[in-house]
């Protein structure tokens, strides 16, 4: 059965507006958070089985300077089981600071046995937070094993100026540690670096100008439509906003500036269809099983 789907990620999908081919980037959010423990190797492999083009993930740094796949720079009370088998109180999670822990300590914590309260369909399993290097090795080996086209990686730098050197290194070191892994694994041409932190993107553009950059935008912010150099210091290849911030006019305006638009996190099929009609270049979703190009294009 798998052979039937082998080349879906590399296909050229037809636009609903005309007959010209259209590429559409389906990104699995934290792998496939709606189905599997987030930011884990099983989540990434399951997302590949669901035919994503790109694996979206977050990275933080351990005390011994390892690049770890994790959304928070601490162990979240929502998903963590302590080595003792106990859980973390919500008001105490920030004290489990990964930047103050070696990877040998991090490995003792489980993030799959406690199902995420907002994702009741997640499969429960014993699993830990992986090193980025190990995750890439697993993904590349799996794609080769099933003869699947090589996937892309959308990697978020989780930094804030208020938490520099407390929960993560400053942007220069953060970028260097991440790029060391990317270059060692020879995947730079398949990587997007994304962040809400303009400083981290600026460092990336200055030190690694060939890297594709995505500026993340949350609901409390506005989407820049021009004057990128004044606001950011550079023009990103991608603007990635909360999807509720988008409309047809904004999408068109960004495309006129030759900037791609890839909104997050789209878990509603009607919203996905609307975004597709507006011409977005891809979407990031927790549920690539139900939010995919075939489902989006049906009944348009």
């Amino acid at each position: 059965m798998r052979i039937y789907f082998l080349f879906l990620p590399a296909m050229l999908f037809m636009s609903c507006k005309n007959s010209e081919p259209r590429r559409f980037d389906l990104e699995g959010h934290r792998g496939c958070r709606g189905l599997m423990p987030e930011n884990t190797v099983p989540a990434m492999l399951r997302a590949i089985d669901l035919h994503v083009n790109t694996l979206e993930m977050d990275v933080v740094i351990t005390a011994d300077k390892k690049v770890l796949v994790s959304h928070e720079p601490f162990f979240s009370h929502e998903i963590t089981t302590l080595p003792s088998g106990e859980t973390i109180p919500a008001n105490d999670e920030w004290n489990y600071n990964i930047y103050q822990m070696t990877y040998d300590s991090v490995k003792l914590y489980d993030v799959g046995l406690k199902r995420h309260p907002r994702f009741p369909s997640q499969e429960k399993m014993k699993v830990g937070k992986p090193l980025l290097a190990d995750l890439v090795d697993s993904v590349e080996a799996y794609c080769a094993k099933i003869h699947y086209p090589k996937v892309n990686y959308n990697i978020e730098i989780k930094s804030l100026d208020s938490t520099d050197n407390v929960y993560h290194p400053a942007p220069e070191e953060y970028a260097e540690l991440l790029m060391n892994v990317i270059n060692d694994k020879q995947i730079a041409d398949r990587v997007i670096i994304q962040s809400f932190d303009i400083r981290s993107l600026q460092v990336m553009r200055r030190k690694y100008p060939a890297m594709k950059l995505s500026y993340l935008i949350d609901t409390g912010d506005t989407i820049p439509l021009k004057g990128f150099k004044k606001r950011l210091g550079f023009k990103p290849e991608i603007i990635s906003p909360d999807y509720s911030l988008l409309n047809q006019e904004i999408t068109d305006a960004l495309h006129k500036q030759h900037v791609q638009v890839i909104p997050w996190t789209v878990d509603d099929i009607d919203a996905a269809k609307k975004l597709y009609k507006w011409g977005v270049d891809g979407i990031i979703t927790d549920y690539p099983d139900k939010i995919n190009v075939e489902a989006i294009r049906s009944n348009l």
Side-chain angles (χ1 to χ4, degrees), residues 75 80-88 96 101 104-111 113 126:
F75 278 98
T80 304
T81 302
L82 299 174
S84 66
E86 299 175 314
T87 57
I88 298 174
Y96 292 86
M101 303 168 65
D104 283 343
S105 297
V106 168
K107 287 191 295 185
L108 302 176
Y109 291 69
D110 181 87
V111 292
L113 292 175
K126 184 174 178 58

Side-chain angles (χ1 to χ4, degrees), residues 2 5-6 15 20 23 29 31-32 39 72 80 89 95 128 136 138 148 168 186 214 235 265:
R2 181 174 285 133
F5 295 107
L6 283 183
S15 170
E20 294 180 1
R23 289 191 181 275
H29 186 231
C32 52
N39 278 324
E72 294 87 11
T80 304
N95 291 321
V136 171
S138 295
Y148 192 86
H168 54 79
Q186 300 180 356
S214 176
K235 187 173 82 169
T265 301

Side-chain angles (χ1 to χ4, degrees), residues 32 36-37 40-47 125-128:
C32 52
M36 304 288 283
T40 63
V41 170
M44 302 300 162
L45 302 189
R46 179 69 181 281
M125 63 179 64
K126 184 174 178 58
V127 67

Side-chain angles (χ1 to χ4, degrees), residues 42-61:
M44 302 300 162
L45 302 189
R46 179 69 181 281
I48 291 169
D49 285 338
L50 294 170
H51 322 126
V52 302
N53 306 82
T54 301
L55 299 171
E56 193 273 351
M57 65 197 70
D58 316 88
V59 293
V60 302
I61 308 299

Side-chain angles (χ1 to χ4, degrees), residues 1-24:
M1 291 294 292
R2 181 174 285 133
I3 294 174
Y4 178 79
F5 295 107
L6 283 183
F7 299 103
L8 276 177
M11 284 179 62
L12 292 174
F13 296 106
M14 303 301 291
S15 170
C16 59
K17 294 181 179 178
N18 54 55
S19 59
E20 294 180 1
R22 171 182 174 187
R23 289 191 181 275
F24 191 81

